[in-house]
Amino acid sequence: MAVSPSPSSSSSSLSSNCTFVQPELPDECWESILKHINNPHDHESLSLVSKQFLSFINRIHTHLTISEGVLPLLPALLRRFTSLTSIKLNRKFTGDIDALLSQIASFDLPSLRSLDISKQSTFPSHGLRQFSQKFPSLKSFNCSHTRPDLFLIAKCFPNLEEIDVSFTSEFEDTDLHVKALALTSGFKKLRKVDLSRTYFFEDSSLFTFCQNCVYLEAIAVDECSASKIAIANAIRERPELRSLEFRLTGDDMTSELIDTLVSLKFLTFLDLSDALISDEALCAIAEGGPTLRELYLHNCKGYGFGGISCLLRKCNNLQCLDLQETVFLNDQCVIELSLLLGNLKVVKLSMNEKLTDLSLFAIMRNCSWITEIRMDNTGVGKLHVDCLVVNSHLKFLHLALNSGLDDEIVTMIASVSPNLEMIDLTNSCGRISKGAIEVLWRCCKIQCMDLHGIGLDLPQFQFRVNFEVPTLFVLNLSMCRISDEEISLLSKSCYNLKELNLDCCDITNNGVKQVVKNCKQLRRISLMCCPKVTCDVVAWMVFARPSLRKIVPPNVDSSDIDRQRDFFLRRGCFVLRSEDVDYECWGEDLDFLESHW
């Protein structure tokens, strides 16, 4: 964002670059502008521009994830960010949840509408009672993978519109009937509910639940204990449903279920993944005139090209299609289907080994609005056909586990996808090196690259003059064949990196130091299992680059690191322990630091 110099400033003040004013706009305009900044990490630097900008940033920050490390900072965070709309507990939170919820309830957060305590080992009954006294108007509550007290939840939050109780039956529980009764009688304002893997519904209780929830718009009933006929009858009570997730896990679609789907005239989201469904069933759904925007048929069996083409001809406004693990799918099928999908934005075709470059380029050519393509573990790269059409809308491309990929095909993809923002080439093969550099060179908006397990071609860096990639923020080079010299050159070109993964790389302390010196906005770096990197470089990194917020050290069990972790945290940097490194998202626990610093 540009900051204009004050026209009234003296020449001396201008030369010292100290006096700035921002254009005079209403506060609402500035807040709207800041909300449209894609990367929330940039809010930190913007908050330093002026007190007014700091105030704007404080108001537009609406989400907070809490881990144990945040507890000393929590009061300051809750006083600063008074516009929070959602709070989530980190799934590895092991502190006192009751005390935490009671503490949150002592602060004034008038906009808070969502609470997520999923995957916690205990259910905080006492804390929720106190929390509800301050926030009785909570709209969304997630308690999946816990042992919830549904009567208590209904009593505490009578105005809930969304609730997730999925995977709650994996815990031993003798009060299944009580849970069903609580859901059927206590949540009259629900609009969205996830009942996946919940086994406490009998046929009659599910029917009563759908009958009572007159505002229900979205329901997920994957592997629910009710029978298929009961599910069909219950769903029929809510003909205004807009979203239905109903995985049958290999079971056949009954005529009752098909008739129910045909009756849902307002359905925009349908997930039938893992089902056994016939061409006749898909054609019947098509005749019902669906208004589908998203369709998920992942790993469905029993149907063929005739059934899916019949349905897609009727779904003129489909924007997301999932046909992963579809047995019959080949290039010719995808080419013909792509002609029916003029409004498609997202397509998922992973784990279809018969698909090649022909399918990829047919989608890019015929689906002009496509923004995301997932073709992991397919045959892309095996045919080496030319693509003569440029697709300017494609932003996200997932091509992991494609053994046929090489530099030539990756370079071609880069040449016809000028606005690509993310590409995943994870574990594709060992034949990609300079192709990755061509992506950086040709795709001027690239922000994220996953190059796990490939190599980089140093001469390509040396050949390029003034090679800069200022837009690249996230880079995964884990298990790559890369040296200190190469990582130094790369970090000079990609100097705005915020996240860098160098796990299992053959670099040394010198290479790490070059990265830290060149990348002045670096926030997260992972060095796990780098045998030539020593743990003493961690302290140097924390002091040399104040922007760092998270480090995975080369040896997470180092006693030296253990002694210094609290000190590093006080400087705003979280250094992982061994129990932290298996996070599904290794940045999940850092949201509190992103907020605070």
Side-chain angles (χ1 to χ4, degrees):
M1 181 179 300
V3 181
S4 304
S6 169
S8 61
S9 300
S10 64
S11 58
S12 61
S13 63
L14 285 172
S15 63
S16 64
N17 295 319
C18 291
T19 304
F20 296 93
V21 296
Q22 55 230 32
E24 293 185 4
L25 294 174
D27 288 356
E28 294 79 5
C29 292
W30 276 118
E31 288 189 28
S32 179
I33 292 170
L34 295 176
K35 285 179 181 178
H36 284 82
I37 294 177
N38 292 330
N39 196 329
H41 298 164
D42 293 330
H43 290 169
E44 175 184 330
S45 54
L46 286 170
S47 66
L48 301 176
V49 172
S50 68
K51 290 183 178 180
Q52 187 182 17
F53 270 22
L54 174 62
S55 175
F56 294 151
I57 296 299
N58 290 349
R59 289 204 294 267
I60 67 174
H61 190 90
T62 58
H63 306 281
L64 181 65
T65 298
I66 301 175
S67 71
E68 281 189 90
V70 73
L71 294 181
L73 306 173
L74 187 58
L77 293 175
L78 297 179
R79 280 192 296 267
R80 177 181 175 185
F81 301 114
T82 57
S83 298
L84 288 177
T85 60
S86 68
I87 291 178
K88 176 183 178 181
L89 269 63
N90 182 284
R91 71 182 182 92
K92 290 236 173 181
F93 186 86
T94 58
D96 187 338
I97 305 177
D98 285 295
L100 173 65
L101 295 178
S102 299
Q103 183 181 22
I104 295 173
S106 66
F107 288 86
D108 187 21
L109 302 170
S111 301
L112 191 62
R113 294 292 181 268
S114 175
L115 178 64
D116 185 341
I117 61 168
S118 59
K119 300 179 181 178
Q120 303 302 318
S121 58
T122 60
F123 186 77
S125 299
H126 176 70
L128 281 177
R129 289 188 182 94
Q130 290 190 285
F131 188 89
S132 66
Q133 292 176 10
K134 187 64 174 288
F135 308 109
S137 299
L138 200 74
K139 301 298 183 183
S140 175
F141 186 66
N142 186 341
C143 57
S144 66
H145 296 86
T146 67
R147 191 198 299 271
D149 182 341
L150 295 179
F151 271 122
L152 174 65
I153 297 172
K155 181 179 179 181
C156 290
F157 309 113
N159 297 310
L160 278 182
E161 296 180 2
E162 299 181 12
I163 189 169
D164 185 345
V165 294
S166 60
F167 293 88
T168 56
S169 293
E170 62 189 42
F171 302 93
E172 294 183 6
D173 199 326
T174 57
D175 298 325
L176 300 183
H177 176 71
V178 174
K179 285 188 173 183
L181 180 62
L183 271 175
T184 55
S185 62
F187 299 93
K188 300 295 182 63
K189 297 184 179 181
L190 281 183
R191 297 182 180 274
K192 182 177 180 179
V193 62
D194 191 340
L195 302 173
S196 304
R197 304 286 181 93
T198 55
Y199 304 119
F200 47 77
F201 265 124
E202 298 177 350
D203 291 359
S204 59
S205 57
L206 180 61
F207 181 87
T208 304
F209 172 76
C210 287
Q211 196 174 45
N212 290 344
C213 296
V214 296
Y215 302 107
L216 199 63
E217 296 179 351
I219 185 171
V221 285
D222 296 358
E223 299 185 41
C224 178
S225 55
S227 68
K228 287 182 284 187
I229 293 179
I231 293 174
N233 291 334
I235 292 173
R236 196 184 290 271
E237 288 296 304
R238 299 268 63 88
E240 68 280 4
L241 273 182
R242 299 182 180 275
S243 174
L244 175 60
E245 184 176 334
F246 180 46
R247 300 190 176 196
L248 296 175
T249 319
D251 289 342
D252 197 1
M253 292 283 291
T254 64
S255 58
E256 291 86 358
L257 280 172
I258 295 171
D259 291 342
T260 297
L261 292 176
V262 172
S263 70
L264 300 177
K265 302 300 183 182
F266 302 101
L267 203 62
T268 60
F269 177 102
L270 178 61
D271 188 345
L272 298 175
S273 297
D274 301 318
L276 187 64
I277 185 168
S278 65
D279 283 339
E280 291 75 17
L282 292 178
C283 290
I285 295 172
E287 290 304 315
T291 57
L292 289 178
R293 298 290 185 273
E294 299 182 52
L295 176 63
Y296 296 82
L297 299 176
H298 187 165
N299 193 35
C300 284
K301 304 292 193 300
Y303 75 100
F305 178 75
I308 188 62
S309 60
C310 177
L311 179 58
L312 295 185
R313 284 191 184 93
K314 294 290 186 176
C315 299
N316 299 322
N317 293 315
L318 198 69
Q319 296 181 4
C320 180
L321 176 63
D322 185 344
L323 295 178
Q324 297 178 96
E325 293 189 271
T326 302
V327 176
F328 68 86
L329 210 59
N330 57 32
D331 285 333
Q332 188 58 40
C333 292
V334 172
I335 291 171
E336 294 187 32
L337 292 178
S338 67
L339 296 172
L340 307 174
L341 298 168
N343 293 314
L344 196 67
K345 293 183 178 180
V346 178
V347 65
K348 301 180 181 182
L349 300 172
S350 299
M351 293 170 284
N352 291 308
E353 296 181 356
K354 299 176 185 178
L355 303 187
T356 69
D357 314 50
L358 290 173
S359 294
L360 173 62
F361 294 141
I363 293 169
M364 293 177 64
R365 179 176 61 253
N366 298 327
C367 306
S368 57
W369 295 101
I370 198 76
T371 61
E372 180 177 356
I373 300 175
R374 287 183 175 268
M375 292 187 67
D376 300 324
N377 197 11
T378 60
V380 173
K382 292 182 177 180
L383 291 188
H384 279 252
V385 298
D386 291 333
C387 181
L388 304 177
V389 178
V390 173
N391 189 307
S392 59
H393 288 96
L394 185 62
K395 294 182 179 181
F396 311 103
L397 184 58
H398 303 261
L399 296 175
L401 300 170
N402 281 289
S403 59
L405 282 175
D406 59 17
D407 285 333
E408 181 182 348
I409 187 64
V410 172
T411 300
M412 181 182 297
I413 291 171
S415 66
V416 296
S417 311
N419 294 321
L420 204 62
E421 295 181 7
M422 179 272 177
I423 188 167
D424 182 358
L425 301 173
T426 299
N427 285 331
S428 292
C429 66
R431 296 185 295 162
I432 301 175
S433 57
K434 65 181 181 181
I437 308 305
E438 290 297 324
V439 173
L440 294 174
W441 178 255
R442 297 170 183 265
C443 303
C444 61
K445 296 183 179 181
I446 192 72
Q447 297 183 27
C448 177
M449 289 187 73
D450 195 334
L451 305 178
H452 172 91
I454 74 168
L456 292 176
D457 193 352
L458 178 60
Q460 289 293 313
F461 279 111
Q462 296 172 328
F463 175 75
R464 302 296 190 187
V465 178
N466 297 324
F467 184 20
E468 293 187 354
V469 193
T471 60
L472 190 67
F473 299 136
V474 181
L475 179 61
N476 184 359
L477 295 174
S478 56
M479 299 188 70
C480 281
R481 302 183 305 276
I482 189 167
S483 65
D484 282 348
E485 186 179 7
E486 289 169 319
I487 193 62
S488 177
L489 286 170
L490 183 62
S491 62
K492 287 180 181 178
S493 297
C494 307
Y495 49 82
N496 282 331
L497 277 178
K498 291 181 170 61
E499 299 185 25
L500 178 62
N501 190 330
L502 295 171
D503 292 349
C504 304
C505 287
D506 196 37
I507 58 173
T508 70
N509 286 2
N510 289 333
V512 173
K513 289 183 177 181
Q514 287 300 313
V515 169
V516 173
K517 289 177 181 178
N518 294 332
C519 301
K520 294 180 171 56
Q521 299 185 55
L522 192 65
R523 304 180 70 82
R524 304 174 182 176
I525 186 169
S526 183
L527 302 168
M528 190 185 302
C529 300
C530 291
K532 296 181 181 179
V533 178
T534 59
C535 285
D536 57 1
V537 78
V538 173
W540 179 89
M541 293 164 62
V542 172
F543 283 94
R545 183 56 57 219
S547 63
L548 274 171
R549 295 290 174 263
K550 186 166 188 177
I551 298 175
V552 183
N555 179 6
V556 294
D557 294 318
S558 166
S559 58
D560 291 338
I561 294 294
D562 281 337
R563 286 193 296 269
Q564 300 178 80
R565 275 194 173 92
D566 288 342
F567 175 72
F568 294 149
L569 185 59
R570 288 196 297 271
R571 293 189 62 86
C573 187
F574 184 81
V575 180
L576 263 70
R577 298 177 174 85
S578 57
E579 61 266 25
D580 299 322
V581 297
D582 64 339
Y583 281 0
E584 296 173 3
C585 176
W586 73 286
E588 176 183 300
D589 64 325
L590 197 65
D591 288 357
F592 73 93
L593 285 174
E594 305 294 1
S595 306
H596 185 66
W597 295 93

